[in-house]
Amino acid sequence: MTKKHGQVPGLIMLLAFCVLLLPACTSSPNKPEANAQPESGGEGTTQTAGGEADRELYTIKIFIDSGNAQAASVIKRSDETPVGKIIKEKFNIVFEYVPFSGNYIDKLNLMLAGGDYPELLRIEGQTTVEKYIAAGALLPLDDYIRSAPNFSNLYKDALPFWRIAGNGKVYNWNYGLPIDASLNPENNDILIRRDILEEAGWPEILSTDDYVKLISDAMKKHPETNGKKTIGLAAAFGESYGILGISTAMTEKGGRYIKVGSRTALWDAIDNKFVDQFLNEYNIDGYRFFNQLYREGAFDKESFTDKVDQVVAKMQDGRALAVWYSAGLATSVNLAFENAGTPQYEYINMPIKSPKQIERGDERIYLSGLTRAFDQVGITKNAKHPERIFELVEWAS
């Protein structure tokens, strides 16, 4: 999180979607491909990656969460992108994106109760995964994994954890893994509107004090954006993880305290003890930062009740000069700005630290992990050709 990340919006978005997809459909790997039944309304056949007989087009619907809803309104099918075209050429598989907003866990529970769930499914929470396994809604993947050396090698350290929920079998995996700071760092610091940075001469800023001045000055220079009142820093504190999670994220920006899964405690890596997250010195620095912006009229008061949908809406019209923590939202929003010919409103992820962290010379801690309970994917029993999808999964691995 200490470096600005360049982005290729369409490619990044599709890669993210593909990773989401790649987790599920798979039946017996020995099932003859020639026996695969044509999809209704198929659009022709293609040669497979392994040189097998041609197969009918396989269109698979997947949910796109609210943070990517704007992107899904721009790109509705994977074969509208360069990566998606390659996937279609090699496997004759196309993903169709279905935007979704609302309480996703409630949606998952409702679909499970009615047995009406898609072929590939992102699942939030270990408890929800266990419900789907207990109901027989997810297909075991072990037969596929045994003949998938790339997948087995890529996820070798994570597989033992994934077997726990399945009583020795693997029914799902996490996407966005492996999390490796050198390859895939979790960059969630602060987003700043591109034209504001350009106007300030592309400053190399880091301190919260510098950001207060940057955002406050920009508020005075740009009271309106596209005919609407400009807001300063927006945040999705209204989400379930808002106040307990991302409002306390200043603790992540230094190298002393580590979040350990609990939203009330931190691990002090220097003194080797647990400490209270809300009384933590770096968390207090973070609240001081929000308070400074609030006093300057540069903190969005609606942040305390805003969810991701509301924050995305404020980004889409460029009203928000800055967004706290939720860097992943920029991909779809920036894509829309690019397509609309207004790249000046794109958001750039920037590093941020409190003055105390800078004074102490704290190094940035990057998240590394083997599992992501909130980002699990399963192949459901409704999958028509799971073996074809796992073939794609293995290739992508």
Side-chain angles (χ1 to χ4, degrees), residues 158-179:
L159 282 169
F161 294 95
W162 297 341
R163 292 186 186 280
I164 294 174
N167 296 321
K169 294 183 178 181
V170 178
Y171 290 86
N172 63 282
W173 71 85
N174 306 160
Y175 76 87
L177 292 176
I179 300 177

Side-chain angles (χ1 to χ4, degrees), residues 75-94:
I75 298 178
K76 300 183 182 299
R77 290 164 50 106
S78 58
D79 59 350
E80 297 174 21
T81 68
V83 175
K85 290 176 181 177
I86 294 173
I87 291 175
K88 183 178 181 181
E89 179 183 354
K90 281 184 158 302
F91 301 95
N92 212 14
I93 290 175
V94 173

